[in-house]
Structures are given as structure tokens and as C-alpha cells.
Amino acid sequence: MPDDLTERLARLIETNGPISVAQYMAEANAHYYGTRDPLGAAGDFVTAPEISQMFGELVGLWLADLWQRAGAPERACYVELGPGRGTLAADALRAMKMAGLRPEVHFVETSPALRAAQRARVPDAVWHDDVSTVPEDAPLLIVANEFFDALPARQLLASEEGWHERLVDWRDGRFVPVAGPRIPAPLAPAEAGTIVETSPASVAIVRELARRLAEQGGAALIVDYGHVRSGTGDTLQAVEKHGFADPWEQPGARDLTVHVDFEALRKAAAGVALAGPTTQGEWLKEMGIEVRAALLAKAAPARAEEIMAAKERLVAADQMGELFKVLALRAESWPEPAGFA
Ligand code: SAH
């Protein structure tokens, strides 16, 4: 029996014709995140803040250091996009407090299930459906970890004739990606079959964040898996129960992501200063994760091995250290951030 979303999308396609990959991804993820907490060992995937408290603490220290060197403005807003279970925020806020920073907390989150989890950890947060309603009259301390990869991406497909929007059709009881009509694309001709991804939603959000930072002051830290240069290739993937699954099956039941194009995000960040992208491993080491891990291990010898293993998972090149990248935006009037040697 097809579930609700499969049936709804199949009907939609039968009635109106194939839908864009971006619409397919948007519908699938809205359903997926809206109906569950996908994080943790019992869920579908594990993120850096769920691996170790060190991740959120170092993010908090990074923000507190910038804030201090920017003259410690009395009012500041911590803004997190897609905060998951609120773990990163709770760890970062604790570290910020030790540094004398107690910002207002604003979460941009669409999932009711995850909002509930966030409320349990950070009860005094204010929730927003998108960034447009975040306060306009204070510096912003913005964090987004594994947020942009979940936003809907378009795929463009090259043929002998030019570029086509890649669409999703419903044929013989299955979703199938197909070439749609030719579209004008600002892209050089490419070999037939080449796929280029763009993320209009990500570009729009980064533009808005950059505009806000330029006007209000502050900084943003964006962490995600992806590539430093724009490239070609289909990176759409589905993850379920800690393994890869078919993205064209059971939309809404598995996490759909694409690799983040950091070059495109940099280009979208007009009017602000940029640092990075660097790798997550390098950034965490620059931020002192080795010392932090050693201190934690010393304070809790029984957990020393676990702490060191978590640190390795975050920084090792063959784990999260290389694939994940860190990009910082800041108001031109704010100081250079730490972590980008
Ligand atoms: N940052 C968290 C969770 C990553 S999962 C962590 O590192 O553990 C992606 C998060 O983004 C979830 O909280 C999900 O509900 C949220 N999200 C996905 N699409 C969104 C959208 N369009 N607007 C706001 N939040 C979104």
C-alpha cells in the first residue's frame, strides 16, 4: 500500500504532469521532518552536535569571541536555522554564558515534531517559520548545521539540444526522473546526461542573511557537507536507518539531501565579509578541540575513550572532517572570526 504522500504525488503527476525535482524534494522533506525526529541512533542519521557536546560548545565559543571583540553589544540574538533537537543550541548557549553572553534565542524551524524537541531543551526560544520574522534591531549570531542540504534543489540535465529541467514522472507505479522541456539556462553546453544542481531556496536565504548582517551587525556560521567549487553531478541522496536508500522510493519516509554548493552560497552572500570554506576538521582543530577533548577526558576518565572516539569522528578525514565544510559570514564592521587560519 502506498503511503499518503506517494499517493498524493502520484495523483498530482497523473493530473498535471511531471513535477520538478525541487518540488519532489520539498514535499518529501516537509513530510519527513514534519512527522518525526529523525536524529540519533534509533533514527535515520546522526549529526555533529549529537555526536559530542564539544561541537556546540566550540560553536558557542566562536560566537562569544566574535561578539566580545565586536565590543560586546548589550543586545544580540542567537538565530539557529533547522536546530534539530536543540542540542547544538543548548551546548552553544552554555558556552556563551560562561563567556558572559546571554543572547535572545530565535529558532527557524518548520517541523512541529522538532519544535517540541527543541522546546524541551531551550524553553525560552522564539520560533519562526522563516528568517523574515527574526528581529531587525539587534546584531545576529547565526548558526546553520546540516540545514542547507535539506532544502529543495533543482536539477538541470544536458542533452544534445541544450539544458532541460529534470522532472519526476510516475510510471508503472514508480517515481522516475525524466528530462523535461528545454529551458534557457546560463550554463555552457555540456555532454548529454550531465546534471547541474542549483538550490534557489538556499541562495535566497543566504542573500537575506547577508543583507541582515550588513544592516544589523553580527556573523553566521554555516556547516554542511558539500563542495568548495560549483561542479556537475547528481548528489541527491536518501538516508534511512543510517544507510543510503533510493531517493525515488517512499518520498517522505527517508531524508532527502543534496551536497551543498559553497561557491554558490559565497556568491549569494553580497555585502558581507567571508571566511572559508575550510573543512570541519581544520576548523575544529583551530578552535581547540584537542585541548577541549583532553580536558573532558581528564574530568571523566571512565568516558575518556568515548570522548576521544567522538572527537575523531568529528575531525578525521575519512569520517566527517573533510566532507563537511565551514563557511563564515560577517558584517564588514565585525572582526575577523577565529578558526580560519
Ligand atoms: N541542525 C540539526 C538538525 C539537522 S536536520 C543538527 O545538526 O542536528 C535539518 C533541520 O532543518 C531539521 O530541524 C528540519 O526540521 C529543519 N528544516 C528542514 N527544512 C526546513 C525549512 N525549509 N525551514 C526550516 N527548517 C527546516
Side-chain angles (χ1 to χ4, degrees), residues 33 39 47 49 80 82-84 108-111 114 145-147 151:
Y33 285 105
L39 292 150
T47 56
E80 191 175 334
V108 177
E109 175 61 69
T110 41
S111 160
L114 286 168
N145 186 60
E146 289 209 40
F147 170 73
L151 298 185

Side-chain angles (χ1 to χ4, degrees), residues 208-220:
E208 165 81 0
L209 297 181
R211 188 181 66 75
R212 296 294 211 95
L213 290 175
E215 279 173 15
Q216 299 172 223

Side-chain angles (χ1 to χ4, degrees), residues 176-264:
V176 202
V178 297
R182 265 184 65 190
I183 47 159
L187 294 168
E191 203 184 317
T194 303
I195 288 176
V196 166
E197 293 173 341
T198 68
S199 179
S202 301
V203 165
I205 291 172
V206 170
R207 262 196 205 128
E208 165 81 0
L209 297 181
R211 188 181 66 75
R212 296 294 211 95
L213 290 175
E215 279 173 15
Q216 299 172 223
L221 192 72
I222 297 173
V223 186
D224 227 309
Y225 51 105
H227 33 267
V228 170
R229 302 251 164 276
S230 302
T232 60
D234 177 3
T235 73
L236 181 69
Q237 66 183 31
V239 163
E240 189 176 10
K241 303 257 174 287
H242 307 276
F244 291 111
D246 187 340
W248 308 115
E249 273 176 15
Q250 297 182 46
R254 29 186 85 160
D255 184 37
L256 290 186
T257 63
V258 290
H259 283 204
V260 171
D261 176 353
F262 279 92
E263 187 175 348

Side-chain angles (χ1 to χ4, degrees), residues 31-114:
H31 183 86
Y32 177 77
Y33 285 105
T35 53
R36 77 203 72 209
D37 171 358
L39 292 150
D44 290 329
F45 59 96
V46 175
T47 56
E50 301 297 332
I51 291 171
S52 168
Q53 70 187 77
M54 292 185 281
F55 186 82
E57 287 170 351
L58 292 174
V59 169
L61 287 178
W62 184 87
L63 290 171
D65 166 63
L66 266 176
W67 167 81
Q68 225 146 33
R69 290 188 288 120
E74 199 166 322
R75 200 171 153 229
C77 297
Y78 175 84
V79 177
E80 191 175 334
L81 313 183
R85 289 179 168 171
T87 309
L88 196 170
D91 293 336
L93 289 165
R94 193 175 59 249
M96 286 187 263
K97 196 169 164 189
M98 306 241 279
L101 168 58
R102 288 179 184 76
E104 285 173 30
V105 180
H106 295 267
F107 286 161
V108 177
E109 175 61 69
T110 41
S111 160
L114 286 168

